[in-house]
Amino acid sequence: MRIYKFGGASVKDADGVKNLAKVLKTTGYNNTLVVVSAMGKTTNRMELVIKNYFENKAELQNAIHEVIKCHNDILTDLFENNQHQVFTDVKALFDELNAFFKSNKSPDYNYVYDQTIGFGELISTTIISHYLNEIGMKNNWIDVREFIKTDNYYRRSNVNWETTQENMSSNLDTNILNITQGFLGSDANNFTTTLGREGSDYTAAIFAYCLNAQSVTIWKDVPGVLNADPRYFENAQLLHQISYREAIELAFYGASVIHPKTLQPLQQKEIPLYVKSFLNPENDGTCVSKGEALVPEIPCFIVKKNQTLISLSSLDFSYIMEDNISEIFSLLHLYKMKVDVIQNSAISFSVCIDNLFDNLEKLLQHLKAKFNVTCHQNVSLYTIRHYNDAAIQELEKDKELLLKQLTQGTVQIVTK
């Protein structure tokens, strides 16, 4: 059993859907389950639909029609016969979406979000399943919500592994090509839930774990995992092998590799994960598995933009001790600050944070009551895993350094 996952960029238009079919033909598709995201920017468009539902009802139908139009363009490019069953099935899903908005009484944004956002995945997989059947690639469309069961923590639900395992073992025919949705599940009352950040990758890992899959392959528009983001660094190189542990480390520091929650179930059963290019499916890509930490062993560069560096010192030059640090962390937790770097000395404490919830001014007011506070906004945090002197020197060139911290295997630098 193999699990494939195709993201939105891979099926953003009719050519993308045709290329998905080409990838399956090239690699073979017996005993394969394909997890697919919403097409292109559909999730963003659906979020606008939800926003209009709560804030601007007059624009709700216009936002829905924009989603319909994008999918109709793909449908007419893929299917010559406009009486094909796929048009009826897609229309039924949009009718269901409209019916929900008309009947819903819940003011809970997170609940409404989860009941509606997944229509992107339901529609994309419906189109792809019909297209594959049309060109002779027999497959079974399955509703992932009938298999992955979760609690009702909407927008970041937790998997009920026992029930999910039982559902997959009992009700899934693994001998045929199956097409299903990423990102979605359902709770005990069969309300739709979503799995949070990188939910489609996580979906692939859940199926792999429960079905004891041979492998998971995530198909992207890049050759695999690179040692640096080519948008910010020149001469990025392909990493051929990454250990589970190293991939989790890279993700922790902000690399756009694989989210740790995706890797954890795979690591438990030592199921390898491949990141490959859907443009060149026969190339090896990157393998994340048990084994060597990094091949080749070269520095890996990560950058986080728009960070905030806060430096504190005691008002009376007394030591910053455990009680001060405990209070600082309580405030960071209170104001929902994501901490990326910590550095402290006898009388100072610095922290680089991600101000995700726009609570910086409130935090600073609280801190200034007890500390001297210096704040630098819009700084960049650079991390180098497996650094060497040449890598550090190249990174520091022409930059104003605000903080630098070296540990074994990792250096972090905050710059203006």
Side-chain angles (χ1 to χ4, degrees):
M1 188 72 190
R2 295 176 306 171
I3 312 296
Y4 283 177
K5 181 260 174 174
F6 288 87
S10 67
V11 291
K12 65 183 179 182
D13 52 25
D15 286 341
V17 175
K18 292 173 183 176
N19 188 67
L20 180 151
K22 182 181 174 185
V23 170
L24 293 177
K25 286 177 180 176
T26 301
T27 61
Y29 54 89
N30 289 332
N31 308 102
T32 302
L33 182 141
V34 179
V35 174
V36 188
S37 300
M39 291 172 153
K41 300 294 183 183
T42 299
T43 300
N44 292 348
R45 293 190 180 101
M46 288 299 299
E47 286 180 337
L48 179 60
V49 168
I50 298 163
K51 186 173 189 290
N52 285 336
Y53 172 74
F54 280 102
E55 299 176 13
N56 189 3
K57 286 263 195 326
E59 285 297 312
L60 176 61
Q61 286 305 315
N62 286 338
I64 293 173
H65 282 303
E66 183 62 29
V67 181
I68 292 172
K69 181 183 180 302
C70 294
H71 288 91
N72 277 345
D73 289 345
I74 295 172
L75 281 167
T76 53
D77 284 345
L78 289 175
F79 300 91
E80 292 181 6
N81 176 13
N82 61 11
Q83 300 301 311
H84 193 286
Q85 181 64 36
V86 67
F87 290 90
T88 303
D89 290 352
V90 170
K91 181 180 182 300
L93 287 166
F94 281 114
D95 288 346
E96 186 182 336
L97 174 64
N98 273 308
F100 170 78
F101 285 131
K102 287 175 182 174
S103 64
N104 175 60
K105 299 292 189 292
S106 173
D108 182 350
Y109 179 90
N110 293 329
Y111 166 79
V112 172
Y113 185 98
D114 274 14
Q115 303 322 299
T116 55
I117 197 74
F119 277 91
E121 280 74 12
L122 294 167
I123 293 163
S124 71
T125 51
T126 297
I127 293 171
I128 289 164
S129 176
H130 275 291
Y131 176 74
L132 294 176
N133 278 323
E134 181 77 0
I135 62 171
M137 299 175 70
K138 183 173 170 53
N139 70 89
N140 185 32
W141 183 92
I142 61 173
D143 188 334
V144 72
R145 297 171 296 181
E146 296 176 4
F147 294 90
I148 296 180
K149 304 302 286 187
T150 72
D151 61 13
N152 61 356
Y153 193 137
Y154 296 115
R155 300 191 68 189
R156 199 171 64 196
S157 297
N158 302 293
V159 176
N160 181 325
W161 286 94
E162 185 177 344
T163 306
T164 299
Q165 173 89 66
E166 186 179 324
N167 289 342
M168 291 186 187
S169 301
S170 306
N171 303 317
L172 189 62
D173 180 1
T174 58
N175 295 313
I176 191 173
L177 172 63
N178 287 289
I179 309 295
T180 196
Q181 308 78 38
F183 185 49
L184 308 179
S186 68
D187 63 17
N189 294 313
N190 292 323
F191 290 121
T192 304
T193 57
T194 59
L195 301 175
R197 183 185 166 197
E198 304 298 335
S200 291
D201 289 356
Y202 188 33
T203 302
I206 294 166
F207 274 103
Y209 179 90
C210 292
L211 297 172
N212 294 311
Q214 169 189 315
S215 63
V216 173
T217 303
I218 295 176
W219 297 96
K220 291 178 171 281
D221 57 357
V222 291
V225 178
L226 306 176
N227 76 319
D229 187 331
R231 292 176 298 175
Y232 304 115
F233 300 93
E234 295 180 359
N235 306 315
Q237 293 178 248
L238 177 68
L239 301 171
H240 302 293
Q241 156 76 26
I242 311 174
S243 68
Y244 296 114
R245 181 185 182 91
E246 182 61 28
I248 290 171
E249 290 277 5
L250 290 169
F252 172 79
Y253 289 112
S256 55
V257 281
I258 309 300
H259 196 277
K261 72 179 181 183
T262 297
L263 292 170
Q264 284 153 2
L266 300 180
Q267 184 179 22
Q268 286 182 48
K269 291 193 175 180
E270 297 184 2
I271 299 169
L273 180 147
Y274 297 93
V275 181
K276 293 189 176 187
S277 167
F278 57 73
L279 302 172
N280 298 289
E282 292 176 308
N283 290 359
D284 290 338
T286 302
C287 178
V288 181
S289 65
K290 184 180 180 182
E292 294 184 65
L294 210 60
V295 179
E297 191 169 322
I298 54 176
C300 294
F301 299 85
I302 303 154
V303 61
K304 284 185 172 183
K305 301 283 190 178
N306 303 314
Q307 305 290 291
T308 301
L309 179 67
I310 300 174
S311 297
L312 310 173
S313 60
S314 53
L315 294 170
D316 58 359
F317 290 96
S318 60
Y319 291 149
I320 292 188
M321 302 294 284
E322 289 84 352
D323 55 343
N324 305 115
I325 294 172
S326 175
E327 183 177 5
I328 293 166
F329 271 98
S330 293
L331 291 172
L332 292 169
H333 176 71
L334 175 65
Y335 293 112
K336 299 180 180 178
M337 296 295 177
K338 184 178 182 301
V339 176
D340 291 315
V341 183
I342 302 160
Q343 190 174 84
N344 67 290
S345 67
I347 58 172
S348 69
F349 182 93
S350 296
V351 60
C352 187
I353 57 175
D354 208 342
N355 181 25
L356 295 171
F357 293 89
D358 201 24
N359 287 327
L360 181 62
E361 289 306 316
K362 294 176 186 174
L363 172 66
L364 293 177
Q365 287 176 18
H366 220 135
L367 290 171
K368 284 175 181 176
K370 291 201 171 182
F371 303 97
N372 291 312
V373 179
T374 304
C375 179
H376 296 279
Q377 297 186 56
N378 299 316
V379 300
S380 296
L381 168 62
Y382 292 90
T383 302
I384 312 176
R385 287 280 295 166
H386 308 283
Y387 64 86
N388 54 37
D389 289 342
I392 295 174
Q393 289 168 13
E394 180 64 26
L395 186 60
E396 291 180 348
K397 190 170 61 179
D398 303 323
K399 293 184 178 70
E400 181 183 345
L401 269 60
L402 299 174
L403 181 148
K404 181 175 179 179
Q405 185 162 274
L406 285 86
T407 59
Q408 187 174 4
T410 306
V411 61
Q412 292 189 282
I413 299 167
V414 178
T415 72
K416 272 193 171 180

